[in-house]
Amino acid sequence: MGRPKEFEPDAAVAQAMEAFWTGGYAGTSPADLAEATGVGKGSLYHAFGSKRELFGKALDLYGAAGSELTEAYLHEPGTAKERIRAYLAFLVDTDLDGPVRRGCLAANTALELGGRDPEATASVRRMTDRTIELLAERLRRGQRDGDVDRDLDVVAQAHLLMNTIVGLRVMARTHEGPVLHRIIDTALAGF
């Protein structure tokens, strides 16, 4: 019997994340994960312990990448409204342009496991809280720069924007671009 094929754990987590993102937690079997990663089930379980542990690592990777992307969009030059609009439009357009309309892994996880899986619920909460924090920070910067009303409750607005993001990502699975872009315009009319 030959040695098991060596693999890069970070690459396997990224490939597993894509599989979970497309199929959901329950809809992604160990065989699906083995196919997606090119790593045998036994090697995956040896490296990650269980499907659930691999899913947790995939959520962590998704959260880190999402936070990095959000921060990059919001720190580009422009007004708060311009940068937030660009970020929301990017999310919608990416969802619509993919080969499969799969929305957001965090939103999908909240719908599938939220309230039933404490670890998944906490992971999604960390992701959304970080996005809210970044949005509020950008709105505060807009207040300092004079392009956001100084009386705006930036935390409440950031929560509303986060809710809009989740709604857009869910609706992107079933609706077309013009509807979603109108929602973006409406959400941004409030500041």
Side-chain angles (χ1 to χ4, degrees):
M1 187 167 170
R3 274 184 59 209
K5 184 170 119 177
E6 299 268 333
F7 68 95
E8 174 55 47
D10 291 342
V13 171
Q15 293 157 334
M17 179 189 75
E18 295 293 333
F20 285 125
W21 193 353
T22 301
Y25 178 73
T28 304
S29 70
D32 295 331
L33 292 169
E35 182 179 335
T37 62
V39 179
K41 289 185 273 186
S43 295
L44 278 175
Y45 283 111
H46 179 72
F48 300 107
S50 68
K51 174 183 164 182
R52 181 61 191 81
E53 289 178 68
L54 180 55
F55 183 65
K57 290 187 180 308
L59 285 176
D60 290 344
L61 175 62
Y62 185 83
S67 181
E68 192 174 298
L69 176 81
T70 303
E71 201 163 351
Y73 261 88
L74 297 180
H75 282 88
E76 289 283 323
T79 67
K81 189 177 283 193
E82 289 167 348
R83 296 315 313 147
I84 293 169
R85 175 178 277 116
Y87 171 60
L88 298 181
F90 169 80
L91 294 175
V92 163
D93 294 342
T94 300
D95 284 344
L96 296 175
D97 291 342
V100 176
R101 288 191 182 190
R102 57 190 183 170
C104 169
L105 178 59
N108 297 347
T109 300
L111 292 169
E112 182 181 5
L113 300 173
R116 294 184 300 133
D117 180 320
E119 290 174 21
T121 300
S123 181
V124 170
R125 179 68 186 262
R126 281 190 301 277
M127 285 184 248
T128 57
D129 286 350
R130 178 64 179 145
T131 301
I132 290 164
E133 178 183 307
L134 291 170
L135 290 164
E137 178 183 297
R138 185 60 185 93
L139 291 166
R140 281 188 201 97
R141 180 174 152 204
Q143 287 177 322
R144 287 191 304 274
D145 293 347
D147 60 79
V148 171
D149 185 329
R150 290 194 182 276
D151 294 330
L152 180 73
D153 181 340
V154 296
V155 173
Q157 186 67 42
H159 279 97
L160 176 65
L161 289 168
M162 185 71 240
N163 188 276
T164 301
I165 290 166
V166 172
L168 287 167
R169 304 295 302 273
V170 172
M171 287 182 71
R173 295 181 73 160
T174 58
H175 289 74
E176 300 307 319
V179 170
L180 302 173
H181 285 276
R182 254 191 326 273
I183 291 168
I184 292 170
D185 292 340
T186 302
L188 297 179
F191 69 95

